[in-house]
């Protein structure tokens, strides 16, 4: 008797292989891919320390590469596949990219066991901002809405 492997399981296996290989190459333990119509459009691995870029998470790297490959900033019709539950930044990036679905294998608790902050950020966002250790404060100024007014007045804007 053979076990049926779904395409999603195959994609997750690839994401895990990418992540594991990235560790061997000096990077972080995260891998991701973007799939459209069953075909891998792009892959990404954690490049935070290699690129000195705290936003170079595997999912963001894969999203950026998929957008370039497909010539669009909207990834509707795509699946983001990750070796680990996306952190809040990566989840937000995927939502902004308008992916149809996100699939992952390890979760935020697994990441925490390995020393990564993902769970702490999710917990932070559940707390009132006035309790955060990093102040996030709104300060109104008279022209604060000016960029949005300019956007609304721009007839040839590309809405996202």
């Amino acid at each position: 008797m053979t076990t049926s492997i779904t395409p999603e399981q195959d994609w997750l296996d690839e994401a895990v292989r990418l992540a594991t290989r990235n560790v061997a190459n000096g990077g972080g333990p995260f891998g991701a891919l973007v799939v459209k119509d069953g075909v891998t459009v792009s892959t990404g691995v954690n490049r935070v320390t290699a690129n000195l870029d705290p936003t170079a998470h595997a999912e963001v790297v894969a999203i950026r590469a998929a957008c370039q490959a497909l010539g669009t900033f909207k990834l509707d019709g795509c699946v983001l596949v990750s070796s680990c539950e996306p952190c809040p930044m990566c989840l937000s990036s995927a939502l902004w990219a308008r992916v149809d679905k996100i699939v992952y294998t390890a979760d935020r608790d697994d990441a925490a066991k390995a020393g990564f902050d993902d769970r702490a950020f999710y917990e932070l966002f559940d707390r009132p901002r006035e309790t955060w250790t990093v102040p996030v404060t709104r300060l109104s100024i008279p022209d604060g809405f000016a960029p949005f007014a300019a956007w609304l007045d721009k007839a040839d804007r590309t809405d996202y």
Side-chain angles (χ1 to χ4, degrees):
M1 182 168 106
T2 59
T3 305
S4 175
I5 301 292
T6 67
E8 288 177 346
Q9 288 169 311
D10 286 339
W11 302 335
L12 285 167
D13 284 341
E14 179 60 18
V16 168
R17 277 192 295 276
L18 287 166
T20 304
R21 192 174 324 128
N22 197 49
V23 171
N25 292 331
F30 302 95
L33 44 138
V34 174
V35 177
K36 184 170 181 136
D37 301 325
V39 177
T40 299
V41 174
S42 67
T43 63
V45 293
N46 182 283
R47 304 283 304 153
V48 170
T49 57
N51 293 2
L52 304 177
D53 178 357
T55 70
H57 290 202
E59 297 90 342
V60 173
V61 171
I63 288 168
R64 288 173 179 161
C67 289
Q68 292 300 306
L70 296 172
T72 182
F73 60 89
K74 291 184 181 180
L75 296 179
D76 49 313
C78 293
V79 178
L80 174 64
V81 181
S82 181
S83 64
C84 186
E85 179 179 9
C87 74
M89 176 185 70
C90 293
L91 180 59
S92 296
S93 297
L95 296 173
W96 274 112
R98 310 294 199 261
V99 299
D100 285 4
K101 186 176 187 176
I102 301 167
V103 181
Y104 62 90
T105 186
D107 66 13
R108 64 184 82 171
D109 296 318
D110 296 318
K113 287 176 196 170
F116 291 89
D117 293 342
D118 305 48
R119 186 176 62 194
F121 292 131
Y122 276 103
E123 291 169 356
L124 175 70
F125 293 139
D126 283 339
R127 297 191 346 238
R129 278 191 184 174
E130 60 271 8
T131 67
W132 293 10
T133 56
V134 175
V136 178
T137 308
R138 178 180 184 200
L139 179 59
S140 294
I141 62 170
D143 288 335
F145 192 76
F148 296 112
W151 174 257
L152 291 170
D153 289 343
K154 186 171 174 53
D156 63 343
R157 69 179 179 260
T158 302
D159 290 324
Y160 33 121

